[in-house]
Amino acid sequence: MDIIKSFSQFDKILSSRNKKQIIFAIILSVITGLFDLIGIASILPVLSVLTNPSLLNTNENLNFFYEYSGLRENEFIILLGLISLFLIIFNQILRVFCNWYILFIAEGLLYEKSRDLFLYYLLRPYKYFLKSSTHHLVQKCTNYVHTSIGNYFTSFLIMISQTITFFFILGFLFFYEPFITLFLVISIGLFYFIVFNNLKGKISQTGKVLPFFFKETSKIISNTFNSYKEFKLSNNKNYFFKLFDLPAKKYKEGNIFINLLQQLPVFAIEVFAYVSILFLSLYLYFNTDNFNQTIPLIGLIALSLRRLLPAAQTIYLQLTQIKFFKKSFEVISSDLINSLEFSERNKKKNKSKLFDFNRTIEFKKIKFSYNKSNVLKNLDIKIHKGKFIGITGLSGQGKTTFLDLLCGLLKPKSGEIYIDNNLINKIDSDNWGSQISYVPQKANLLDQTVLKNVTFDDGKVNLRKVKKVCKIVEISSFIEKKLKNKYYTKIGEEGVRLSGGQAQRINLARALYNQPKILILDEATNSIDSIIENKIINKIKKNYKNLTVIFVSHRIKILEKMDKIFFFNEGNISSQGPFSFVKKNSKLFQRIIKLNSSKTN
Ligand SMILES: Nc1ncnc2c1ncn2[C@@H]1O[C@H](COP(=O)(O)OP(=O)(O)OP(=O)(O)O)[C@@H](O)[C@H]1O
Ligand SMILES: [Mg+2]
């Protein structure tokens, strides 16, 4: 039942090209199975003639070929042997090719699916990320997709291929010797059925250990490494080890258990094969007049078992794999289905015309909530192109939320956002986003060179432009004088080899390198000292005349330099206008200024 259900899910996960490949793999498996059978059958005339050469004259078919060949008796027997050898070699080559093709499909699918998933998650709406854990997403794009496609799905393919071979050989044997075949089928089938039936519940149960291991360990590892300093100075280091130890131990035990279960039947079935052949030989020895004549049959059965038993063992092994990896597959099956639909839709999508921003951004009666209570309440804001806008207010009043709405990352619950009198909903969010550079408070840096961190580009970069933006953000002299390889120096993961303020400046350089029309800085300079911050703002003003800058800051000295200020309070604007106007009208702002100036003094 489970298997049929999984098949119906594969149908939704596989593209039409994947399905064609699988059909080809099945056809190839049928051909390989057929040659398995021919290879095994070819041994029969060789052994028959060897034990009874007179067959060359008495057996009609053999006699026909013998006469036709014009060879002597010994030569013809050698020819029969060579033909059988050739068929078996050819069969093995075909099997290698068939196995390679299955591997090719499985690995290709794994590559496609992990790529599609990564892209699918990347292009999810921002709200999706707010609800998801990044560790879990990382696991889904790596471990889950590996176990789901690399193990779960591949097991299905191998099982189909081996089942075809199994039944081909069985069919032939049945045709040749029905009673012995029936005995073999019943004993092998019953043996594996009993083993599998008794263990399947336990295997499924053990399979749950995988999602648990993936989820927990990645979370613990990343949390601990991300807070290395706290960890190093913590009094309770064992806490972290214990958190890691439990899932890791469970994973180890689960793996030992499943591997043992998979191998156990092999020992029993090998004994079974030996006993079958021994009993068959003894039976024939005592019950036939001429034992010599039964040797071909014994040879045929022995050779068939050589193929049948590994096939049966592989089928059993794949069934256990399917049971074991089912839970992991279930975690991402719906994402795999959605990612396929998404990537096919994406292929068809036409690139829309780049949207231009020339005059104003206007928020009209915007309401927004993450959960129940409104974070933004009837927000009205109008921003003109080319201005330096300061956004300020106490913590948690909705400033960052406002920026996310402006970027199109979040959608308002009600109200409208207009860009040059065009509703933002009508603008392709990719197009709109490409005109904005957003710099958050926490610098986002890769373990790459300064150059790559500024450009985020692998292609041909414009070094002159990189140098120019680095100069504007007051980082060029540090790069050129203090870094050994200047712009080609690696700065470490998350910029660990830089100070907080330097990292923020590299982020700022990247934002400017992209030549945006709107630059959004969400407390993006708060690790930079006021003198340098002031210089950077002056340079940006001087060099980018048409740039609209939206600057969230708590620093009064910076806010003084803005063309206009919006003072956020409880999800609304309580005061707006030039600095002096807001200062005059907002009591809360006056208190903030007062506290700030006493702090500075
Ligand atoms: N992802 C989220 N899910 C639920 N609530 C959120 C989420 N992000 C923010 N909030 C809530 O929304 C409110 C506004 O948050 P926002 O980040 O916009 O404030 P802010 O004005 O930028 O504050 P700060 O100056 O501290 O950065 C806060 O009360 C916060 O708790
Ligand atoms: Mg904020």
Side-chain angles (χ1 to χ4, degrees), residues 448-492:
Q448 281 290 351
T449 59
V450 172
L451 193 70
K452 285 204 174 152
N453 268 293
V454 172
T455 59
F456 267 2
D457 198 344
D458 240 359
K460 206 165 179 275
V461 293
N462 185 341
L463 185 63
R464 215 168 52 90
K465 202 169 129 195
V466 172
K467 284 184 176 172
K468 184 185 164 198
V469 289
C470 285
K471 201 160 183 205
I472 291 172
V473 300
E474 293 285 325
I475 191 81
S476 56
S477 63
F478 165 77
I479 295 169
E480 286 162 23
K481 289 182 189 139
K482 296 277 167 67
L483 296 181
K484 198 169 148 223
N485 297 318
K486 299 195 164 79
Y487 290 88
Y488 298 93
T489 314
K490 281 199 170 188
I491 56 175

Side-chain angles (χ1 to χ4, degrees), residues 6-7 15 23 39 56 60 104 124 138 149 151 155 247 252-253 343 370 376 405 442 499 518 553 576 593 600:
S6 300
F7 264 118
S15 67
I23 291 172
L56 286 181
E60 221 176 277
F104 169 78
R124 284 307 66 216
V138 171
I149 304 296
N151 298 104
S155 291
K252 174 196 78 172
E253 285 160 6
S343 86
Y370 290 101
L376 297 180
L405 282 156
K442 187 175 177 298
S499 76
I518 302 164
S553 179
Q576 61 176 292
I593 295 172
T600 319

Side-chain angles (χ1 to χ4, degrees), residues 337-353:
I337 295 170
N338 292 338
S339 69
L340 176 68
E341 278 173 19
F342 180 79
S343 86
E344 302 210 321
R345 233 183 308 134
N346 241 17
K347 272 181 215 155
K348 286 180 200 151
K349 202 170 152 187
N350 294 327
K351 276 232 167 290
S352 49
K353 225 175 92 224

Side-chain angles (χ1 to χ4, degrees), residues 23-24 67 109 116-117 147 150 152 156 166 230 261-262 279 327 362 383 477 482 505 532 562 576 592 595 601:
I23 291 172
F24 182 66
E67 293 289 331
L109 203 64
D116 285 358
L117 264 185
T147 47
Y152 189 71
F156 271 95
F166 189 80
E230 287 99 317
L261 284 192
Q262 287 176 340
F279 271 88
K327 277 276 167 284
E362 197 170 0
I383 290 168
S477 63
K482 296 277 167 67
R505 277 178 275 168
I532 295 184
M562 303 292 154
Q576 61 176 292
I592 296 172
L595 280 170
N601 289 340

Side-chain angles (χ1 to χ4, degrees), residues 70-89:
L71 294 170
R72 273 181 286 163
E73 189 179 290
N74 283 356
E75 287 169 348
F76 187 72
I77 294 174
I78 291 172
L79 178 70
L80 281 183
L82 286 176
I83 291 173
S84 169
L85 177 70
F86 168 79
L87 283 172
I88 285 180
I89 291 174

Side-chain angles (χ1 to χ4, degrees), residues 275-288 291 298:
V275 170
S276 303
I277 296 293
L278 190 70
F279 271 88
L280 181 69
S281 309
L282 289 175
Y283 174 80
L284 292 172
Y285 183 75
F286 290 116
N287 290 291
T288 44
F291 181 66
I298 296 171

